[in-house]
Amino acid sequence: MLYADLVKVYDRLESTAKRLEKTSILSEFFKTVSEEECEHIILLLQGCIFPKWDSRETGIAQKLLVKSLEIATGKNEHELKKIWKECGDLGLAAEKLTQIKIQATLFSQSLTTQKVFENLQKIPVLKGQGSVDRKLQYTAELLTSAKPLEVKYLVRTIIGDLRIGLGEGTIRDAIVWSCFEKEIKLEYNNEKNELQFPNKDRTKYEKYAELVQEALDISNDFSIVLRKSRNRELDSLQLVVGRPINVMLFKKAKNIQEALATVGKPAAIEKKYDGFRVQIHKQKNNIVLFTRRLENVSSQFPDIISAVIDNVKAENCILDAEIVGYDKTTKRSLPFQNISQRIKRKYDINETAEQYPVKIHVFDCLFIDKKTLLKETFQKRRELLKDSIKEKENVITLAEQIITSDENKISEFYEKSLDEGHEGIMLKNLSGIYKPGSRVGYGVKVKPTMETLEVVIIGAEWGEGKRGAWLSSFIIAVQKEDDFVEIGRVGTGFKEKSEEGISFDQITELLKPLIIKENGKEVIVRPEIIIEVDYEEIQTSPTYNSGYALRFPRFVRLREDRGIKDINSIDDVEKYYAEQRGRSVIKST
Ligand code: AMP
């Protein structure tokens, strides 16, 4: 396919904010994509080159991109930066510059999506001597052959900020529309020149949407699902060891009664350990560990790998577990912060493992010896889990569990869990299936603290006076459908010096590479840094586009373990807002 054809679709998607219109555009486009093209086209539509669980990253350093643009457009860095500043978007600036150049040159050949994809895939793997020059060469080659609008989207893809407002939900719906058009009876609106969603046939639509969603849950890959949907082979999908899937999420309950009302009686009650979640993939002695953001952290945890090799009996399996730090002398569990530095560690791995020992509490299994278990009940999965693991104290154990309907017993278990330094308890529905990526009610958490919010930083402001070199006030946002809405500004809770916690200069360093627009003291950043904030109260407010504002928001900690989809949504904010008056209830059981 010509890159120009994909670019036309990008442009149409960017020009409308209406989700149904986007779905219609995309579903028609999918019909023109060949079997072989599915994989790279879907990745390019998402603005990436590798699947999200692949640790290789798309793109090159911004400096190198500017250099490639100099080569491609014949403009010097100064001129380029001037236009960039005017447009506030490097993609638009590059498009403008190419338009100027177009008068002077003729494009020799047309770019194909395959060529774009191949060149971009070559770049991240280049290492060592001469790699900078070769990166430059591959990027410049693409930019030189691209037409102005193509340049705009190429640049945005390279910097990892495609910004066409295309969420995963829309891609999923477009697959349903495109592949099951006849079954769900989509109608064509001649006036609008687009497919229309038939409201009268919603249940039929929901059936197919669910089938497609289940296939996505298993494969975590839109291109596989598009191909399988076309060929009516959705039910043939199985989990694959080595390919992570989105983990199931848990709702919060105010207290034990509310929790039981959600999960039913009797329920499985487990300790809620305060560590970080890993998905353990085992294929004989080949073990891969993924965080809940699907990052591969295997090399940081050789101790976990050997614990799994030595104590997991199943040959092939995918396990869901919490990794928890503990005190070497007392063996008491330690809060997450104590081991958080192990997740990003690149050197002195063994020494760090010695210094900050961890243990594994396994609480679920998704696949054991060739069988996908997502549709099995929790009780059954727990039995299979028990049979697959040789438990060893302070190395690997199943999450401690009781099964009961008795609220007094649950309260006792809760108190005990807190006394042992854990976060609270989890209550789980015994017959619940495993629903990847969803916050369904098969499990709920009960913890004693007032709920904090996990939010993403979308902008910031440079400080004044002695804080002039730092970003010192941060615009925070929560999710609303495929977008973010602002909920306040946070400037407290950060430290002046880094020894005591996260300091202003550390957060500034994290945000600087993400700046996409500057306007005086204000900057807009790519929404990647997730932080946990607490606050005194939620108020309604016309100041922020969420309609709400946090009163006295304060930074609590960085949430490097969280992905953008894990952050709180506007629905959570509305719920907490409504619950505020009963806050004392939240604090107790
Ligand atoms: P939260 O992070 O507050 O949404 O709570 C859910 C998280 O608790 C999960 O994602 C796990 O990382 C963690 N967790 C700790 N113990 C358990 C357990 N027994 N079952 C499930 N999740 C647990």
Side-chain angles (χ1 to χ4, degrees):
M1 176 184 299
L2 289 178
Y3 188 54
D5 291 332
L6 177 63
V7 162
K8 264 188 229 149
V9 174
Y10 284 153
D11 213 40
R12 288 182 67 201
L13 290 170
E14 191 183 347
S15 65
T16 173
K18 291 188 193 131
R19 182 159 164 180
L20 289 184
E21 207 172 312
K22 282 185 198 276
T23 315
S24 174
I25 295 168
L26 204 55
S27 67
E28 289 295 286
F29 173 62
F30 280 157
K31 292 181 194 160
T32 68
V33 179
S34 73
E35 191 90 355
E36 301 72 47
E37 290 168 335
C38 279
E39 188 179 340
H40 76 259
I41 295 280
I42 289 215
L43 285 171
L44 286 174
L45 273 169
Q46 292 175 283
C48 44
I49 303 299
F50 302 107
K52 58 186 171 191
W53 43 269
D54 190 318
S55 50
R56 288 171 296 179
E57 272 182 27
T58 310
I60 55 172
Q62 209 164 66
K63 227 168 150 184
L64 213 61
L65 177 62
V66 170
K67 239 193 160 101
S68 317
L69 280 169
E70 279 180 64
I71 299 174
T73 61
K75 297 279 165 194
N76 65 32
E77 189 179 342
H78 176 74
E79 292 169 288
L80 221 149
K81 286 198 164 154
K82 190 171 156 250
I83 301 202
W84 180 6
K85 205 159 191 170
E86 279 165 20
C87 304
D89 173 336
L90 188 53
L92 274 179
E95 181 189 3
K96 260 198 182 157
L97 285 167
T98 321
Q99 269 162 354
I100 300 169
K101 191 191 134 194
I102 204 169
Q103 292 144 2
T105 39
L106 275 176
F107 298 95
S108 48
Q109 65 187 87
S110 295
L111 272 179
T112 61
T113 52
Q114 186 70 35
K115 171 78 183 160
V116 169
F117 187 71
E118 277 169 9
N119 266 32
L120 294 182
Q121 266 209 331
K122 281 181 203 158
I123 295 169
V125 290
L126 292 171
K127 298 252 151 42
Q129 225 189 1
S131 61
V132 171
D133 285 342
R134 294 198 23 226
K135 283 183 183 186
L136 207 61
Q137 180 200 332
Y138 286 134
T139 321
E141 187 190 350
L142 288 180
L143 292 169
T144 324
S145 350
K147 299 185 183 68
L149 198 59
E150 295 173 349
V151 168
K152 168 175 156 187
Y153 290 105
L154 255 178
V155 166
R156 286 192 183 173
T157 304
I158 292 171
I159 57 176
D161 186 33
L162 188 59
R163 253 186 300 144
I164 51 170
L166 184 61
E168 292 192 351
T170 310
I171 304 181
R172 185 207 58 188
D173 289 350
I175 293 179
V176 182
W177 287 32
S178 162
C179 303
F180 299 100
E181 186 182 344
K182 290 210 181 71
E183 286 90 336
I184 58 177
K185 299 203 184 74
L186 287 173
E187 292 149 8
Y188 204 83
N189 181 327
N190 288 322
E191 236 166 73
K192 286 195 186 162
N193 208 12
E194 63 183 41
L195 277 176
Q196 261 188 357
F197 185 71
N199 268 327
K200 53 182 187 303
D201 222 355
R202 221 181 152 108
T203 43
K204 222 173 199 172
Y205 169 76
E206 272 161 9
K207 183 183 130 200
Y208 287 100
E210 205 177 304
L211 275 179
V212 169
Q213 184 59 50
E214 275 176 13
L216 273 174
D217 290 346
I218 293 181
S219 65
N220 215 354
D221 185 326
F222 282 105
S223 64
I224 293 181
V225 176
L226 177 56
R227 284 202 303 262
K228 295 272 180 192
S229 299
R230 281 178 175 177
N231 304 333
R232 302 290 184 269
E233 290 171 351
L234 284 177
D235 47 10
S236 67
L237 279 166
Q238 289 280 329
L239 288 178
V240 178
V241 177
R243 173 179 295 191
I245 63 164
N246 295 322
V247 294
M248 178 157 75
L249 302 167
F250 304 97
K251 286 187 170 166
K252 172 156 170 77
K254 261 193 280 188
N255 51 37
I256 291 170
Q257 293 86 332
E258 190 184 280
L260 279 175
T262 310
V263 299
K265 287 187 203 176
I269 325 295
E270 292 177 2
K271 294 193 172 152
K272 183 179 190 311
Y273 303 99
D274 185 12
F276 75 97
R277 192 161 182 176
V278 289
Q279 203 173 101
I280 303 172
H281 287 241
K282 175 178 190 279
Q283 178 121 50
K284 299 204 170 129
N285 281 354
N286 193 0
I287 316 293
V288 192
L289 309 174
F290 295 100
T291 64
R292 63 185 268 176
R293 298 174 62 177
L294 313 186
E295 286 158 332
N296 185 333
V297 288
S298 314
S299 52
Q300 289 93 310
F301 293 93
D303 41 349
I304 301 283
I305 306 260
S306 29
V308 172
I309 292 178
D310 294 343
N311 302 291
V312 176
K313 294 184 270 177
E315 260 204 358
N316 307 310
C317 59
I318 304 176
L319 309 177
D320 202 351
E322 189 82 354
I323 302 295
V324 186
Y326 64 92
D327 184 296
K328 269 197 280 191
T329 329
T330 62
K331 303 281 189 271
R332 197 179 152 87
S333 296
L334 295 170
F336 168 73
Q337 287 94 313
N338 289 272
I339 52 158
S340 63
Q341 51 169 308
R342 284 199 58 184
I343 303 177
K344 291 257 147 93
R345 198 83 185 180
K346 294 234 161 62
Y347 51 90
D348 296 340
I349 302 274
N350 290 324
E351 289 81 347
T352 323
E354 276 277 307
Q355 206 177 348
Y356 303 101
V358 291
K359 52 186 167 181
I360 317 168
H361 293 291
V362 192
F363 55 79
D364 217 328
C365 55
L366 323 182
F367 183 90
I368 291 184
D369 292 338
K370 301 204 178 110
K371 196 158 183 290
T372 298
L373 305 172
L374 302 183
K375 292 264 174 75
E376 299 290 348
T377 64
F378 176 57
Q379 195 159 23
K380 173 83 183 163
R381 297 199 305 276
R382 172 89 185 188
E383 276 166 25
L384 292 168
L385 192 57
K386 206 161 178 197
D387 293 340
S388 315
I389 289 170
K390 201 163 70 196
E391 292 189 77
K392 192 166 172 197
E393 207 48 41
N394 294 319
V395 176
I396 184 167
T397 49
L398 264 65
E400 210 179 312
Q401 187 192 77
I402 57 167
I403 293 181
T404 182
S405 304
D406 184 337
E407 283 180 26
N408 291 332
K409 280 204 181 127
I410 301 176
S411 291
E412 248 171 59
F413 190 78
Y414 183 29
E415 292 297 326
K416 191 165 153 245
S417 179
L418 294 177
D419 282 349
E420 288 170 4
H422 309 307
E423 260 195 304
I425 48 171
M426 309 292 303
L427 289 91
K428 298 182 182 177
N429 179 328
L430 289 170
S431 48
I433 58 163
Y434 193 102
K435 191 85 187 86
S438 298
R439 211 173 279 283
V440 278
Y442 298 135
V444 295
K445 52 193 177 190
V446 178
K447 37 184 195 177
T449 47
M450 189 188 76
E451 195 67 29
T452 52
L453 281 175
E454 284 160 17
V455 297
V456 64
I457 299 181
I458 58 168
E461 194 179 331
W462 290 103
E464 307 223 319
K466 75 178 172 70
R467 290 191 178 173
W470 301 332
L471 291 167
S472 67
S473 162
F474 307 90
I475 305 169
I476 50 177
V478 291
Q479 286 188 77
K480 186 173 184 182
E481 288 162 9
D482 286 338
D483 212 347
F484 303 106
V485 283
E486 296 167 11
I487 186 156
R489 274 175 180 264
V490 58
T492 55
F494 299 97
K495 307 292 179 212
E496 298 278 329
K497 289 199 194 104
S498 61
E499 301 93 63
E500 303 149 4
I502 294 292
S503 59
F504 282 109
D505 60 341
Q506 280 174 322
I507 189 99
T508 304
E509 284 313 308
L510 287 176
L511 289 170
K512 257 195 207 157
L514 305 179
I515 294 178
I516 43 185
K517 203 169 179 177
E518 294 210 41
N519 185 5
K521 280 188 161 315
E522 298 270 337
V523 302
I524 307 269
V525 296
R526 261 204 324 265
E528 283 183 19
I529 302 296
I530 294 161
I531 61 173
E532 187 174 332
V533 291
D534 67 14
Y535 48 88
E536 200 180 278
E537 200 183 15
I538 301 174
Q539 302 173 315
T540 52
S541 159
T543 316
Y544 300 109
N545 62 353
S546 66
Y548 292 93
L550 300 183
R551 189 170 141 88
F552 302 133
R554 198 178 60 90
F555 169 82
V556 178
R557 56 177 165 164
L558 266 183
R559 293 304 310 230
E560 287 156 317
D561 58 323
R562 298 292 208 245
I564 201 71
K565 285 213 227 91
D566 297 324
I567 69 168
N568 284 108
S569 65
I570 188 69
D571 296 343
D572 299 328
V573 173
E574 275 163 11
K575 181 164 172 263
Y576 299 157
Y577 174 75
E579 279 172 4
Q580 255 166 197
R581 305 185 83 223
R583 234 196 238 167
S584 52
V585 182
I586 304 175
K587 278 189 174 160
S588 71
T589 57

